Amino acid sequence: MPDPKPTRAGNGKQREKASKSPPGLRPAAARRSDRFLAQLSGYKRVTLVTHVNPDPDSLGSMLGLAHLVEKKLGIPTRLTRDGLISRAENRAMVDLLEIELEPIDTIAWDPHEAVVMVDSQPNTGRHHLGEDAPLVAVIDHHDTPGDLDNIDFVDVRRSLGATCSLVTSYLREQLVSPDARLATALLYGIETELCGYPREASPVDDKALIHLYPLADKDLMARIRNARLPQTYFNGLLQALQNSFIYDRLIISWVDDLPQPEMAAEVVDFLIRFEEVDWALCGGIYNNNLILSLRAAVPDAQAGELLSKVVGKLGRAGGHDRRAGGLIPLTSVAESAIDNIQSELRKRLLKTMHIEECRGQRLVSKRDILHNLHT
Ligand SMILES: [Mn+2]
């Protein structure tokens, strides 16, 4: 920690600016963005970190907070990447918006550096951040609770649809207008996070969307949203469809060979649209891990808590009301070992969902699979 220095939050200039805040925002004294900036004001550099396989909400949030810190405090910032970014849309976002990311495992921390974690919380098993990282602030909206003791600044709002909305409210409070690139990143972050489910959105999300829309580059948005897909995507999807089993209102899909870890999420995003089910789970193997992704089509599903309960000590899991993810390290990738873990998970899931143990009905019958192959 650097020596305490006078903060900017309490000076007259700040108060004068605060009085010009757009209507509907908090009065200066209670503004979290002031406290956030005050907390960082003594440092020489601010580094943004987020969860493994960063998604648009975490990328947009890092970009937005870095911009805020640079504009208001004049402190240099850097953005990091934990793990891969493999979903085609997310890669397009990074490429088209030219977001520079330093791999987290190559970073050495400076003595006068502050780390800000966004869209995630410490010790939730979702990062490879060293214990020595000088974590000063956490800004998030996930249900999964992290270890927040000893963090100087915490703003975790579970009622929010996206962390990008929270970051946008900070920018608005501080009268920092995002350029087209940043507005596009924030807007895309919110849009993907809400995925058309207004129940997960709050008035803060609405205000952010309305604020950002005119500022964003809609052509770039379209290019990101409609990113071109690699051949492996179709291969993975075919594997998933051929190994999908229906149990009452639940569909489970097993993929033996995920082309990339985020494919599990892409599979359930697709399967949850099946009108006969309320729940979709995909379990796919990638790098000796069973990657899990869960979606719910019903409100108040508490998917994050449910998956975390189902996975238990086998691995880790968490998420939101309708979306959750998890990971189980595999001690063996032998077919029998994978069968065992799959049947254990299925058993636990059916029990938790009060679905009677039954033989799963294939989404596509074996007969049809073979028939289609031969014609
Ligand atoms: Mn998020």
Side-chain angles (χ1 to χ4, degrees), residues 130 151 198 362:
I151 307 287
R362 281 182 175 271

Side-chain angles (χ1 to χ4, degrees), residues 51 55 57-58 119 140-142 161-163 193 320 323:
H51 55 76
D55 60 4
D57 193 27
S58 52
D119 202 36
D140 187 31
H141 73 132
H142 283 87
T163 305
E193 202 72 5
H320 302 280
R323 291 169 299 137

Side-chain angles (χ1 to χ4, degrees), residues 13-29:
K13 201 174 157 203
Q14 199 75 23
R15 271 198 294 276
E16 184 200 22
K17 280 195 170 181
S19 65
K20 285 188 274 174
S21 284
L25 292 174
R26 293 163 170 274

